[in-house]
């Protein structure tokens, strides 16, 4: 049981390049989401998905695209990278606790992206 | 607009001390308040969570105190240990956390000195 797997762990891009951050979970969780973490800013929600084929925007969606063709995978695409997208990106999947009904997020280890 | 305000930004305590991290929220519709712990190079992990119908919740050495009228909640770490050194995030959610979308505070970096 690997949990939430993110690749790559590190990536350096030039301004204008495109790339995809991969996220896969093997826990059959319905909900998946992407956050970015910047120093002093906490974690901010980029996009999320409540199930295969359904995605929606979070707090900071501009410059990012997502899709959810399967339950397991939730890739994050940067179409034209900008230095402002330099950040650590975390993918999370969540399950609903039976007792409380609340969703508990399980985070991946993160992908550190630098845009020059 | 920052919906969850967390303080302090950083905190240094001696081993055995009781660090306290505070959070305040604005949206009275929030009804699920978790705390996440993050070690360097790792993703955050759920530590403890509370709903506004209780004023306090304890799990081991970690306690959440909740003040609904003041729209504030705090994390207390009893008998803190060097292994507790990490960044702590408070968060809030709607719908009892049912949608998995959290609004996080900016984090508190805790250092527990031996």
């Amino acid at each position: 049981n690997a949990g939430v797997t993110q690749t790559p762990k590190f990536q350096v891009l030039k301004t204008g390049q495109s790339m995809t951050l991969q996220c896969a979970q093997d826990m059959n969780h319905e909900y998946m989401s992407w956050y970015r973490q910047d120093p002093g800013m906490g974690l901010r929600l980029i996009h999320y998905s409540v199930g295969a084929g359904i995605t929606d925007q979070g707090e900071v969606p501009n410059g990012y695209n997502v899709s959810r063709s399967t339950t397991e995978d939730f890739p994050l695409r940067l179409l034209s990278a900008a230095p402002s997208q330099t950040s650590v990106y975390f993918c999370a999947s969540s399950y609903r606790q039976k007792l409380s009904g609340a969703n508990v997020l399980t985070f991946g280890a993160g992908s550190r992206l630098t845009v020059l | 607009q920052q919906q969850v305000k967390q303080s302090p930004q950083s905190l240094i305590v001696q081993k055995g001390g009781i660090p306290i991290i505070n959070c305040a929220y604005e949206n009275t519709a929030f009804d699920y308040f978790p705390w996440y712990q993050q070690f360097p190079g790792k993703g955050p992990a759920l530590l403890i969570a509370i709903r506004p119908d209780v004023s306090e919740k304890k799990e081991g050495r970690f306690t959440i105190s909740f003040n609904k009228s003041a729209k504030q909640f705090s994390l207390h770490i009893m008998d803190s240990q060097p292994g507790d050194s990490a960044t702590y995030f408070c968060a809030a959610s709607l719908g009892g956390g049912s949608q998995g979308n959290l609004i996080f505070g900016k984090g508190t970096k805790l250092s527990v000195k031996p």
Side-chain angles (χ1 to χ4, degrees):
Chain A
N1 188 340
V4 179
T5 303
Q6 291 184 233
T7 56
K9 292 190 184 303
F10 302 94
Q11 183 71 50
V12 178
L13 290 178
K14 294 181 179 179
T15 297
Q17 286 185 318
S18 62
M19 77 155 301
T20 299
L21 298 177
Q22 301 291 345
C23 177
Q25 54 98 1
D26 60 359
M27 299 172 283
N28 200 33
H29 289 171
E30 291 182 353
Y31 302 100
M32 296 187 74
S33 50
W34 277 101
Y35 289 84
R36 61 177 288 173
Q37 183 175 26
D38 302 292
M41 295 296 292
L43 293 125
R44 292 180 292 170
L45 182 65
I46 304 172
H47 285 285
Y48 66 96
S49 169
V50 299
I54 305 170
T55 63
D56 207 345
Q57 297 180 350
E59 179 185 358
V60 288
N62 292 340
Y64 308 95
N65 282 347
V66 293
S67 61
R68 185 95 179 272
S69 56
T70 67
T71 299
E72 294 79 17
D73 300 299
F74 191 43
L76 179 70
R77 299 183 184 86
L78 286 72
L79 298 180
S80 179
S84 61
Q85 295 178 302
T86 293
S87 187
V88 180
Y89 292 85
F90 287 98
C91 178
S93 71
S94 57
Y95 69 93
R96 183 172 297 187
Q97 284 184 327
K98 289 182 180 179
L99 188 62
S100 69
N103 265 354
V104 177
L105 268 67
T106 299
F107 284 87
S111 296
R112 182 176 293 273
L113 175 66
T114 301
V115 183
L116 303 176
Chain B
Q1 181 185 8
Q2 185 185 358
Q3 298 195 57
V4 179
K5 294 183 179 180
Q6 182 173 348
S7 62
Q9 276 189 311
S10 62
L11 190 54
I12 301 174
V13 300
Q14 292 296 126
K15 177 183 175 182
I18 306 175
I20 300 173
I21 304 170
N22 300 299
C23 285
Y25 63 98
E26 299 167 3
N27 189 343
T28 55
F30 288 148
D31 57 3
Y32 176 67
F33 302 90
W35 285 87
Y36 278 76
Q37 180 188 54
Q38 184 181 30
F39 293 105
K42 304 292 185 181
L46 179 65
L47 186 63
I48 186 173
I50 198 168
R51 292 183 184 273
D53 53 348
V54 298
S55 59
E56 185 177 274
K57 183 175 182 180
K58 291 183 180 180
E59 287 187 4
R61 295 183 293 107
F62 300 92
T63 299
I64 300 178
S65 298
F66 190 87
N67 186 329
K68 187 174 181 179
S69 61
K71 294 188 288 185
Q72 295 175 345
F73 58 110
S74 60
L75 177 70
H76 302 233
I77 305 175
M78 308 301 289
D79 187 28
S80 59
Q81 302 296 313
D84 295 329
S85 297
T87 299
Y88 293 81
F89 294 94
C90 62
S93 180
L94 299 170
S98 62
Q99 292 193 348
N101 300 336
L102 297 176
I103 297 174
F104 285 88
K106 293 187 176 183
T108 297
K109 186 174 183 179
L110 172 66
S111 179
V112 181
K113 301 297 185 184

